Amino acid sequence: MAGDESAYAVFLERVARHVRGFCRRRIVHGGVEPEDIVQETLLAIHLKRHTWRQDEAVMPWVYAIARFKLIDAFRRRGRHVEVDIDDFAETLAEPEKEASMTRDIDRALGGLATVQRNVVASISVEGATIGETAHALGMTESAVRVALHRGLKAIARRFVQD
Amino acid sequence: MNTHDLIKAIARDAAAPRPSLGLLLLGACGLASVIAAIVFSTLLGPRPDFAQAAHTSRFLLKFVITATLAVTALFQVAELARPVSRSSHRVALLAIAPAILLAALLMEIATIPAAEWGARLVGTNSLICLTMIPLIGMGPLAVFLAALRYGAPTRPGLAGAACGLLAGGLAATFYAAHCFDDSPFFVATWYSLAIAILTLAGAAAGRFILRW
């Protein structure tokens, strides 16, 4: 799981598919958006990857984290006031928009320090490499790496706080 | 940002170093022991007749019980630090220290006349025991909770309680060198109560501190 970026990305895409199915089967009615849990789980898997023992199967570890994140999300959302579904009848009839699926991470991204936000946006949305980002933002490569790592940690923290 | 974009960002961060969780916990044990030793020697220090007492089995048994508790609690902390536990039967290890204490209690009941039981249970310094063990254990508890933040405990309250138990066992091991009451009656009552205070504090703190 260490080192090779493209192999890691392939692994994370596979994890995302599994966790998406896992969450959709368990989120029966609204309040918690499955894609928020997928993203939260991916960040946790990345930032807590040292808690996986190398001699153990990886998927039970992935599902243990996904289950924890799902329960935690239900618990957090549970604090909010329930509203009558009739209020949203019209909205619910609308087809699900792509933008509404990822509201949590965009809010988290918006709360980052400017440098971290620029670095994360450059690498994720624009798909730039570390080197390209460093060149575009006038930073050293190691500064970009640090900003990226801190940015991801800050996003994960904001997921838990909201 | 969609999930695919997030994965691109995460993959670029793959090279960030990840120190071993086990090593970090061991380091935490070392730091916690140093803190406990400093607080103990500043506030209390060993009892004056330490050398003579070290020849009596009751005195030595206190260390066996508290150290056993600390070691078995450390296994629990290491287990609860990860989302997947390796073996569920490790919980049974926690019964070893109470089992030794129970055996010592039975020996005491068999060898000491019933009229003395009350006096031995009340002891001479129960209030010092109840304040000093939590005081010595506070720093170590903070260290263990901080170390667990690097882990991924899926049961934060329980993980915090295990940290409290570990801090309590460690603190009681130091405190036992000062304590004049060596009877298992005293240990079972006041040491347990003092360690329970740290365990409850750990459980309460864990719910807030160990979120990730």
Side-chain angles (χ1 to χ4, degrees):
Chain A
M1 215 157 99
D4 191 334
E5 280 184 24
S6 56
Y8 191 36
V10 169
F11 164 75
L12 291 171
E13 293 283 2
R14 197 173 65 118
V15 163
R17 282 196 300 276
H18 278 279
V19 174
R20 195 171 292 128
F22 173 83
C23 291
R24 282 190 182 151
R25 281 194 299 279
R26 278 159 186 81
I27 300 172
V28 186
H29 45 255
V32 174
E33 189 63 59
E35 206 58 25
D36 286 339
I37 308 300
V38 171
Q39 297 184 345
E40 222 182 316
T41 303
L42 288 170
L43 276 167
I45 281 170
H46 176 62
L47 295 170
K48 300 291 187 185
R49 61 196 188 277
H50 52 274
T51 65
W52 171 63
R53 298 182 185 90
Q54 307 233 343
D55 58 344
E56 279 178 355
V58 73
M59 286 321 278
W61 173 77
V62 165
Y63 280 120
I65 290 178
R67 189 179 306 114
F68 173 72
K69 286 297 178 187
L70 186 60
I71 292 169
D72 199 47
F74 277 130
R75 191 182 53 78
R76 278 201 312 264
R77 306 297 197 281
R79 287 200 202 121
H80 302 306
V81 182
E82 293 285 336
V83 285
D84 196 316
I85 195 142
D86 288 341
D87 297 344
F88 293 93
E90 273 179 55
T91 333
L92 285 172
E94 296 280 311
E96 186 82 62
K97 289 191 187 73
E98 175 76 21
S100 72
M101 279 174 63
T102 56
R103 59 208 164 175
D104 276 9
I105 196 157
D106 288 334
R107 198 165 51 217
L109 194 60
L112 292 187
T114 316
V115 175
Q116 289 173 6
R117 187 170 61 236
N118 290 343
V119 166
V120 172
S122 164
I123 289 171
S124 60
V125 182
E126 293 159 32
T129 63
I130 299 277
E132 288 162 2
T133 305
H135 185 72
L137 298 176
M139 299 165 71
T140 65
E141 289 202 5
S142 60
V144 169
R145 286 183 200 281
V146 169
L148 173 63
H149 187 67
R150 292 203 180 139
L152 292 175
K153 272 174 87 167
I155 292 173
R157 212 162 36 236
R158 280 178 177 273
F159 264 123
V160 180
Q161 280 167 352
D162 84 288
Chain B
M1 196 201 296
N2 64 36
T3 302
H4 183 66
D5 292 340
L6 177 67
I7 288 174
K8 280 190 281 181
I10 292 175
R12 292 259 189 255
D13 189 43
R18 298 273 93 188
S20 144
L21 180 61
L23 282 181
L24 187 89
L25 284 178
L26 276 182
C29 287
L31 179 62
S33 303
V34 169
I35 292 172
I38 290 172
V39 174
F40 170 74
S41 53
T42 310
L43 296 178
L44 297 170
R47 56 197 257 189
D49 63 341
F50 185 87
Q52 292 99 300
H55 294 294
T56 66
S57 56
R58 277 194 183 80
F59 182 70
L60 290 177
L61 199 61
K62 291 197 296 186
F63 295 97
V64 173
I65 292 165
T66 55
T68 303
L69 177 69
V71 171
T72 52
L74 176 60
F75 282 132
Q76 279 311 302
V77 170
E79 204 63 37
L80 289 165
R82 297 170 195 270
V84 180
S85 41
R86 177 161 284 182
S87 55
S88 49
H89 65 256
R90 272 197 176 183
V91 176
L93 293 177
L94 279 180
I96 297 175
I100 301 172
L101 180 58
L102 186 66
L105 270 175
L106 293 175
M107 287 280 283
E108 191 85 337
I109 286 169
T111 52
I112 304 294
E116 280 184 44
W117 292 355
R120 282 177 176 250
L121 189 151
V122 174
T124 54
N125 58 357
S126 56
L127 273 182
I128 296 177
C129 174
L130 277 186
T131 48
M132 283 303 162
I133 289 180
L135 216 55
I136 297 168
M138 254 167 41
L141 175 58
V143 170
F144 294 133
L145 286 171
L148 263 202
R149 278 180 63 85
Y150 185 63
T154 49
R155 284 175 288 181
L158 203 59
C163 285
L165 204 59
L166 170 54
L170 184 70
T173 306
F174 279 97
Y175 176 75
H178 171 83
C179 176
F180 291 96
D181 294 298
D182 298 338
S183 168
F185 284 125
F186 185 90
V187 175
T189 310
W190 304 108
Y191 279 49
S192 303
L193 211 53
I195 292 168
I197 291 171
L198 279 167
T199 308
L200 285 175
R207 287 176 174 278
F208 294 98
I209 295 172
L210 298 179
R211 296 186 56 198
W212 52 279

